[in-house]
């Protein structure tokens, strides 16, 4: 004989409750592969828009500086070429620092020197004898 009491319907006791069945394991979630830009793309777009707004806002200033620089270069280049008699290449060494974008060209038939900044401005000065070089009026 055993010293344990049997369980079951004859004794009135409930049998031990079996644990609930375990759900099948889900496959591991795939993590999204981080993008090549690492979340920088929105910042790059914001900076590009800000730069575009700044360039449009400052363009009149750039254009005015180009106009002034080309007029200065034409006047100095004309005086250097026709008053001092130097070559146009040596006249470009007389420019102030920061005027590397300004180029000079001459029309020897009319004794005119043109200073220009590509895509922004162009001005001409003409040699007028005893009066020196005069800027031609803007068109």
């Amino acid at each position: 004989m055993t010293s344990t009491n049997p369980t079951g319907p004859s004794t009135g006791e409930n049998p031990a409750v079996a644990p609930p069945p375990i759900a099948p394991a889900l496959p591991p979630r795939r993590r999204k592969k981080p993008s090549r830009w690492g979340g920088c793309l929105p910042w790059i777009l914001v900076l590009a828009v800000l730069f575009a707004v700044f360039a449009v806002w400052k363009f009149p200033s750039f254009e005015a500086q180009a106009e002034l620089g080309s007029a200065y270069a034409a006047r100095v280049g004309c005086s250097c070429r026709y008053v001092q008699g130097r070559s146009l290449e040596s006249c470009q060494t007389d420019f102030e620092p920061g005027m590397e974008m300004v180029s000079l060209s001459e029309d020897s038939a009319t004794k005119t020197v043109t200073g220009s900044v590509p895509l922004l401005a162009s001005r001409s000065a003409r040699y007028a004898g005893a009066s020196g070089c005069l800027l031609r009026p803007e068109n």
Side-chain angles (χ1 to χ4, degrees):
M1 260 203 176
T2 63
S3 63
T4 60
N5 291 333
T7 58
S10 62
T11 60
E13 292 181 23
N14 290 336
V17 178
I22 298 176
L26 296 174
R29 286 188 182 175
R30 288 189 178 179
R31 290 189 172 212
K32 233 180 174 181
K33 187 177 181 182
S35 73
R36 194 167 107 177
W37 295 96
C40 292
L41 188 60
W43 289 106
I44 291 171
L45 291 175
V46 167
L47 289 176
V49 168
L50 288 176
F51 179 75
V53 167
F54 176 76
V56 168
W57 176 55
K58 280 296 199 177
F59 183 74
S61 174
F62 294 146
E63 192 174 24
Q65 288 177 353
E67 186 76 25
L68 181 65
S70 62
Y72 172 81
R75 172 69 172 75
V76 169
C78 179
S79 295
C80 173
R81 175 75 179 103
Y82 294 108
V83 175
Q84 294 177 353
R86 295 169 42 198
S87 71
L88 204 56
E89 290 79 27
S90 71
C91 295
Q92 284 190 304
T93 60
D94 294 345
F95 290 168
E96 296 293 322
M99 292 188 60
E100 291 80 18
M101 298 244 347
V102 180
S103 63
L104 291 178
S105 62
E106 76 172 310
D107 180 9
S108 56
T110 59
K111 294 189 176 183
T112 302
V113 173
T114 302
S116 62
V117 176
L119 303 175
L120 289 176
S122 178
R123 293 292 304 270
S124 297
R126 185 179 58 81
Y127 178 65
S131 298
C133 290
L134 305 174
L135 282 174
R136 298 181 77 186
E138 268 187 75
N139 296 354

